Every structure is written in structure tokens, then in C-alpha cells.
Amino acid sequence: SAVISQKPSRDICQRGTSLTIQCQVDSQVTMMFWYRQQPGQSLTLIATANQGSEATYESGFVIDKFPISRPNLTFSTLTVSNMSPEDSSIYLCSVGLPQLWKQYFGPGTRLTVT
Amino acid sequence: GQQLNQSPQSMFIQEGEDVSMNCTSSSIFNTWLWYKQDPGEGPVLLIALYKAGELTSNGRLTAQFGITRKDSFLNISASIPSDVGIYFCAGPNSGGSNYKLTFGKGTLLTVNP
């Protein structure tokens, strides 16, 4: 498994602003994912972060709202843009071991939008 | 898209009791994963299953890959207070050459000391 850190761990933001969340892995990984977990809910995949190319977004998520960067094999960022209270969630990054389908998660970023 | 149904949604048990929970799918899965999420933390992988009928243990936890390949079960023996959390099952998303996972809604476990 990999050691995954996220920054910030939590934040309280005003509506209309943007927040960039960082995900750092202690080893090079091919597959990196971003999830959203709304209060009391399960995990919903936002996008796959592809190194050196544009992220692949799931239905219901768009690049303008959730731009993602993946400059190398150990780092990715997710930006939550033009935030509204509905964006209040936990945002999680994960790394995948493709051959085994295993994914390992970071500790999450708890976002509250007021 | 695929849906994973977990039951029960929540459980309240006494310390020392055994726990069983399950996950069912409308389609066949080739892999089942079980995760635990503690409050304020990210999910932690507990057990991965890759073959129908497979039974795998991790300490007091035992998970089984159902023979129909549409379900999986997680058992916890002799529960302790630190077993509290949300348990999620997960499996490969449909069209799964891209290694994406679908997660169930979770089973919330509360253990009374």
C-alpha cells in the first residue's frame, strides 16, 4: 500500500470562492482518483486523474467545476470552484493497484461552505 | 449504472457479539472489496476477494465471495468498541477496464461496551 496525505484536512469557505485540495503519495502510482462523500452518504467518483493529460470525469461532474491537475506520478490537485453550500462534503483522493482492483485512500478533506 | 445494496443499513450490538453484513449486486462481479471508515478518516481496505466461493480472513474479520458472484458477506467475530465505523463493500464499475470502483451505501456499526 501507499502513504497518502491530503491538504488541507478541513476548511470552511464562503460561497462563490474556490478551494484547491492537494493529494501527495509517497511512491509513484499510475492510477489516481478523486471522490466526493456527502454527509452520511457513500463515496461517489468525481474523476480519474491522468498523468500528463486531462482528467476523465464521471457523469454529473464537469471540468469547469472540478478542475484537476496531475503534474507527476506522486501528486494531484482537485479544485472546487465557485462553491455553494451543496459542495459541503468530504473530498477523498485514492490510488489504485490496477491488477488487483485495490484502491487506497487519503484521510480526506472536510469542506464546509457557508 | 451498477448498484450495490448493503444490509443492514445500521447495527447496534453489544461488545463481544458477532456481526454479519452483506452486499448484493444486480450483476456479476469478479472482485469484491470491503472497506472500513472510521469517523473523520478515509476508508481503509480490509479484505479483497477475487474468486467465487473464496473465504478470506483478516484477524477477527472474515469475508466471503458468494458462489453466485452477485453477493459478498463480511463477518466480525467477538466485536470490540474499536470496530465502530461504516463498512463499505465495493466492486469493479461496469465496463471495468478502467479500474474504477462502485461503492455500496455502507453499514454503520455501533458497538456498546
Side-chain angles (χ1 to χ4, degrees):
Chain A
S1 64
V3 177
I4 306 164
S5 60
Q6 286 186 234
K7 288 182 183 179
S9 58
R10 58 179 61 232
D11 208 342
I12 301 173
C13 301
Q14 291 193 337
R15 74 171 66 212
T17 63
S18 298
L19 177 72
T20 296
I21 302 167
Q22 299 179 3
C23 180
Q24 179 75 52
V25 189
D26 68 343
S27 58
Q28 293 188 338
V29 293
T30 305
M31 317 215 67
M32 233 165 155
F33 305 91
W34 285 98
Y35 288 82
R36 181 175 73 183
Q37 187 177 27
Q38 294 178 304
Q41 302 296 313
S42 185
L43 285 74
T44 301
L45 182 63
I46 297 172
T48 304
N50 302 308
Q51 194 268 328
S53 64
E54 200 168 276
T56 306
Y57 289 84
E58 297 300 301
S59 175
F61 298 96
V62 295
I63 187 171
D64 289 347
K65 176 67 175 177
F66 297 102
I68 288 170
S69 78
R70 178 95 192 265
N72 56 52
L73 292 176
T74 64
F75 186 78
S76 178
T77 67
L78 168 76
T79 298
V80 186
S81 303
N82 188 23
M83 288 184 284
S84 66
E86 292 72 32
D87 294 320
S88 297
S89 293
I90 300 171
Y91 291 86
L92 295 149
C93 69
S94 76
V95 301
L97 295 182
Q99 302 89 341
L100 298 175
W101 287 92
K102 294 180 179 179
Q103 287 187 25
Y104 297 93
F105 286 84
T109 295
R110 189 175 298 267
L111 172 62
T112 302
V113 183
T114 60
Chain B
Q2 289 177 311
Q3 284 191 339
L4 294 180
N5 300 306
Q6 286 190 246
S7 65
Q9 286 187 324
S10 61
M11 305 180 73
F12 297 83
I13 63 170
Q14 292 296 126
E15 184 177 358
E17 289 182 356
D18 297 343
V19 172
S20 290
M21 61 188 78
N22 68 65
C23 185
T24 60
S25 169
S26 57
S27 55
I28 289 174
F29 275 24
N30 293 317
T31 298
W32 288 96
L33 305 170
W34 284 93
Y35 287 85
K36 182 194 177 199
Q37 186 174 29
D38 290 333
E41 302 289 331
V44 173
L45 180 63
L46 299 173
I47 293 176
L49 302 162
Y50 299 103
K51 194 184 303 183
E54 180 180 354
L55 191 69
T56 297
S57 293
N58 178 2
R60 293 177 296 104
L61 277 63
T62 302
Q64 183 163 23
F65 194 138
I67 58 173
T68 67
R69 296 168 63 192
K70 291 185 176 182
D71 53 13
S72 180
F73 309 89
L74 178 69
N75 297 312
I76 305 173
S77 62
S79 59
I80 59 178
S82 62
D83 291 332
V84 164
I86 306 175
Y87 291 80
F88 292 102
C89 62
N93 208 335
S94 56
S97 62
N98 46 16
Y99 301 106
K100 297 187 292 187
L101 296 176
T102 295
F103 283 80
K105 295 185 184 301
T107 293
L108 173 62
L109 178 63
T110 302
V111 180
N112 296 317

